[in-house]
Amino acid sequence: MILQDKVAIVTGSSRGIGAAIAEKLASAGASVIVNYSSSASHAEQVVSNITSAGGKAIAVKASVNSEDDIKMLFEVAEKEFSTTADILVNNAGITRDNLLIRMKNEEFDDVIDTNVRSVFLSTRLAAIQMMKKRYGKIINISSIVGFSGNPGQFNYVASKAALTGMTKSAALELASRGIRVNAIAPGFIETDMTAGLKDEFKDEYKKKIPLKSFGTANDIAEAALYLASPVSDYITGQTLHINGGLYL
Ligand code: NAP
């Protein structure tokens, strides 16, 4: 129970990678805010999985596109668990894929708003609270394509590349206050986000991945637990790549 008495907020944890991270942190003793924007039943299922295993969690509907909603997330965490957040996982993310020459302004803006501006808003709030505790862990979920680029994802790649710089800047600013800021860059992971990819595309990619398979949400959750726990206290400003060797 390495996260006993810690409070964690995991954005976008009703499904996929966020859900796996919420369950993993809870299994290590953290009290977890399971955040969602529309998938209420999925979020309740995640909470039920956690509580039936003896953990503590509540589901909170909040859009990371809204500053008021993000403030409310932090307020609920403090009220429900009697202390401010010790761990923030900025996981909520969307894609709005299109070729560059066809990409609409809204497709670009929506992705930047959800994947980047939200991380600015939540990290600023977390930093203010964690500075008072002189300890905290912030984990940003980036992507392999933020490093490699990807056709059809100009907006999404921009958002994930931004997280690399934001992670390093926050790490440098907050290190003296005991706050560690790191990122995880997943490769192809089996979730709803990749479920819609054509089978031919998936098969082609699996051939290119040295470990010959897509990863699981649990592969990412194990890394998140490591970065959230004191065993990684000497690590800050880093991005951990988890991609089966696809990008080295
Ligand atoms: P997913 O299955 O599509 O789940 C996305 C999660 O984000 C859902 O819980 C969703 O909740 C939530 N969400 C979306 N918009 C939100 C908003 N405005 N406010 C609050 N929550 C919101 O995605 P995933 O594959 O697990 O991806 C999770 C993260 O990993 C994302 O940042 C993604 O970019 C990154 N990633 C994924 C892969 C991959 O291969 N899957 C690879 C690299 C990086 P609702 O359903 O309630 O909206």
Side-chain angles (χ1 to χ4, degrees), residues 12 14-15 17 37-39 64-65 91 142 156 160 187 189 191:
S14 50
R15 296 182 284 116
I17 291 171
S37 67
S38 59
S39 304
V64 297
N65 300 103
N91 166 80
S142 173
Y156 183 76
K160 295 304 185 180
I189 306 298
T191 68

Side-chain angles (χ1 to χ4, degrees), residues 90 92 115-117 119-120 140-143 147 157-169 181-184 239:
N90 288 309
N115 297 7
V116 181
R117 186 169 181 274
V119 175
F120 159 58
N140 297 323
I141 306 301
S142 173
S143 170
F147 295 83
V157 167
S159 76
K160 295 304 185 180
L163 292 187
T164 307
M166 289 162 74
T167 299
K168 290 180 184 182
S169 296
V181 188
N182 292 291
I184 297 172
T239 296

Side-chain angles (χ1 to χ4, degrees), residues 46-171:
V46 175
V47 169
S48 163
N49 295 345
I50 291 171
T51 51
S52 57
K56 283 192 222 150
I58 54 164
V60 183
K61 178 177 166 72
S63 170
V64 297
N65 300 103
S66 156
E67 183 168 9
D68 285 346
D69 278 15
I70 292 177
K71 273 189 193 152
M72 182 269 288
L73 259 191
F74 282 79
E75 283 164 10
V76 171
E78 186 172 3
K79 192 162 158 262
E80 288 291 324
F81 301 129
S82 308
T83 181
T84 54
D86 304 282
I87 300 159
L88 167 66
V89 183
N90 288 309
N91 166 80
I94 58 165
T95 53
R96 295 284 181 270
D97 297 351
N98 212 341
L99 292 174
L100 172 59
I101 58 170
R102 292 192 195 141
M103 188 170 284
K104 297 183 179 62
N105 291 0
E106 306 81 71
E107 288 171 335
F108 185 83
D109 293 345
D110 284 355
V111 169
I112 298 300
D113 201 49
T114 305
N115 297 7
V116 181
R117 186 169 181 274
S118 68
V119 175
F120 159 58
L121 296 173
S122 58
T123 302
R124 184 172 60 184
L125 266 180
I128 292 166
Q129 295 191 343
M130 291 172 180
M131 279 163 80
K132 291 183 189 144
K133 291 184 164 176
R134 301 196 75 80
Y135 190 79
K137 297 277 199 166
I138 299 173
I139 301 165
N140 297 323
I141 306 301
S142 173
S143 170
I144 184 173
V145 302
F147 295 83
S148 64
N150 204 23
Q153 291 199 308
F154 188 87
N155 48 2
Y156 183 76
V157 167
S159 76
K160 295 304 185 180
L163 292 187
T164 307
M166 289 162 74
T167 299
K168 290 180 184 182
S169 296

Side-chain angles (χ1 to χ4, degrees), residues 8-34:
I9 296 173
V10 184
T11 67
S13 45
S14 50
R15 296 182 284 116
I17 291 171
I21 293 174
E23 291 184 19
K24 187 67 69 182
L25 300 186
S27 74
S31 301
V32 181
I33 297 286
V34 175

Side-chain angles (χ1 to χ4, degrees), residues 17 95 97 142-145 148-151 153 156 185-198 201-220 241-247:
I17 291 171
T95 53
D97 297 351
S142 173
S143 170
I144 184 173
V145 302
S148 64
N150 204 23
Q153 291 199 308
Y156 183 76
F188 285 92
I189 306 298
E190 303 271 13
T191 68
D192 292 345
M193 191 176 267
T194 49
L197 296 173
K198 289 193 179 113
F201 177 89
K202 284 188 185 176
D203 292 343
E204 206 45 49
Y205 254 97
K206 280 178 191 166
K207 280 186 209 146
K208 286 188 199 159
I209 298 170
L211 289 178
K212 301 294 176 208
S213 66
F214 283 11
T216 65
N218 189 59
D219 291 326
I220 308 305
H241 292 263
I242 303 176
N243 55 38
L246 182 59
Y247 178 84

